[in-house]
Amino acid sequence: MSRKIIIDTDPSPDDSVTFLMALGSPNELELLALTTVGGNVSLEQTTINTLKSLELVGRVEIPVYMGADRPLKRALITAQEVHGGNGFEGYDLPEPTTKASEGFAPDKIVELVMDNEPNSITICAIAPLTNIALAMQKEPKIKQRLQEIVIMGGARSEGGNVTPAAEYNIYVDPEAADIVFTSGTPITLVPLDCTHKALSTDARLEKLRAVGTLHMEAFYHLLKFNRIYDSEKMDMDGGPLHDPTTVAYLLKPEIFKSKKVNVTISKDYEITRGMTVIDWWGKMELPLNTNVLYDLDSEAYYDLVIERLALAGG
Ligand code: RIB
Ligand code: CA
């Protein structure tokens, strides 16, 4: 039986690759819903980008619920310098003909978790964690009822991509991240230490393009644009394909290396705002609340991405 998942997202292209990969894996994953949040771009634009991506592969039956337009306590910080003005620079997808479904994302997360069997719903969180934290505040029971939350975010020894200390998804809403990491829900975290080893190199992008379908052509151009910022600013041979690591972990955990440790979120000092303090050697004797994926077989990862993205349209 396939694993039931909800993906909370703020599309730039790596987000869309994530949920399209899930749609390309119907024997292993059942995507119940997508929930959108303000992040890389505004909530309105992340929702449009989500709808556009689903329409590109003809999967408009997947419900999309809009959530928070800003963090719990802070102003929204977007990432247009990385992903372009609309978050989808590099290839013009037509405006969506569909709309988001009725309902506030945190309420829908609570409803789906409470209406399904205990320990049967996994959330892939690939954006600031505001919607997840709001859902936990609305109905604390979901903390114990969720099977797992797989989060793309944070950094250990790699350092941050927004500040030297913090990765974007955690930096934007550290208060939400703190609620999630102290919830007691089983968490798997994919930090930059792992995703910076999963680069969209030229060779991999050409392999993706060679599939030859319209949506693969679109993502070839979108991921090519996506590499400009990271390769220039962070001297990389391609843009890191961050978010699909969460679905790849659910599909093939064996291509990752992991360690159970304590992760605590810094939120009080500006210089360490949003830092994931990862107690790798157990110095603090705190609860081992997170399974951190610190390495991956990047070739196997990218082959999986291409294989399942290609199947997104069914
Ligand atoms: O730091 C990487 C994260 O920020 C990814 O989720 C990417 O989509 C951006 O949201
Ligand atoms: Ca994201």
Side-chain angles (χ1 to χ4, degrees):
M1 188 168 83
S2 48
R3 185 166 178 167
K4 293 179 179 178
I5 67 171
I6 297 165
I7 299 181
D8 190 70
T9 185
D10 65 335
S12 58
D14 65 317
D15 292 69
S16 297
V17 170
T18 308
F19 54 79
L20 295 185
M21 266 180 82
L23 291 174
S25 312
N27 296 330
E28 297 109 317
L29 300 173
E30 180 187 354
L31 179 57
L32 298 179
L34 291 168
T35 52
T36 57
V37 68
N40 283 315
V41 285
S42 70
L43 172 66
E44 288 65 32
Q45 192 62 52
T46 61
T47 305
I48 287 169
N49 294 344
T50 301
L51 294 167
K52 277 181 180 179
S53 303
L54 292 173
E55 200 155 345
L56 178 65
V57 296
R59 299 299 303 273
V60 295
E61 83 282 3
I62 303 294
V64 177
Y65 300 109
M66 295 177 73
D69 62 1
R70 76 199 64 187
L72 296 181
K73 290 188 177 164
R74 300 172 191 251
L76 176 62
I77 295 172
T78 59
Q80 278 138 321
E81 73 283 1
V82 182
H83 307 294
N86 68 354
F88 249 61
E89 208 81 36
Y91 190 85
D92 284 338
L93 290 176
E95 287 308 299
T97 62
T98 56
K99 295 232 178 294
S101 302
E102 280 303 305
F104 183 47
D107 293 334
K108 300 306 282 187
I109 290 170
V110 169
E111 191 181 300
L112 285 165
V113 174
M114 299 310 287
D115 288 354
N116 281 276
E117 286 303 304
N119 201 35
S120 69
I121 304 283
T122 295
I123 294 177
C124 288
I126 55 176
L129 294 165
T130 317
N131 284 340
I132 318 302
L134 285 170
M136 288 182 169
Q137 288 177 327
K138 283 172 180 280
E139 181 45 87
K141 291 195 186 87
I142 68 167
K143 297 178 186 178
Q144 274 64 48
R145 200 173 174 93
L146 277 163
Q147 180 175 3
E148 185 176 14
I149 305 177
V150 187
I151 300 168
M152 188 279 135
R156 179 185 164 232
S157 45
E158 182 71 3
N161 58 4
V162 180
T163 69
E167 175 279 330
Y168 177 80
N169 288 339
I170 310 298
Y171 178 79
V172 167
D173 197 342
E175 284 72 25
D178 185 43
I179 289 168
V180 173
F181 279 85
T182 55
S183 65
T185 304
I187 293 174
T188 293
L189 178 70
V190 197
L192 296 180
D193 304 71
C194 188
T195 65
H196 280 183
K197 296 171 186 168
L199 303 181
S200 294
T201 62
D202 285 339
R204 289 169 178 166
L205 287 177
E206 291 308 324
K207 216 167 156 185
L208 184 144
R209 187 182 205 178
V211 173
T213 55
L214 170 65
H215 78 282
M216 297 303 268
E217 180 69 12
F219 278 99
Y220 167 77
H221 291 289
L222 289 165
L223 294 176
K224 210 160 172 70
F225 176 88
N226 215 227
R227 57 178 287 159
I228 296 169
Y229 182 87
D230 288 302
S231 38
E232 279 166 12
K233 286 271 183 186
M234 301 168 90
D235 191 25
M236 291 178 172
D237 177 26
L241 195 57
H242 299 288
D243 293 337
T245 53
T246 57
V247 162
Y249 166 71
L250 295 178
L251 293 171
K252 286 195 173 179
E254 66 274 14
I255 68 173
F256 294 88
K257 287 185 183 162
S258 66
K259 183 176 182 181
K260 200 90 187 287
V261 292
N262 176 268
V263 175
T264 299
I265 307 298
S266 167
K267 49 191 198 303
D268 302 326
Y269 300 102
E270 196 47 35
I271 189 68
T272 56
R273 164 187 168 171
M275 180 178 187
T276 45
V277 181
I278 300 180
D279 186 2
W280 202 252
W281 305 114
K283 295 289 183 195
M284 306 301 284
E285 295 180 3
L286 292 170
L288 305 182
N289 61 351
T290 308
N291 179 35
V292 171
L293 307 188
Y294 62 91
D295 198 358
L296 84 170
D297 173 341
S298 56
E299 215 48 46
Y301 168 63
Y302 226 94
D303 285 346
L304 181 64
V305 168
I306 292 170
E307 176 192 277
R308 299 308 170 91
L309 180 60
L311 296 170

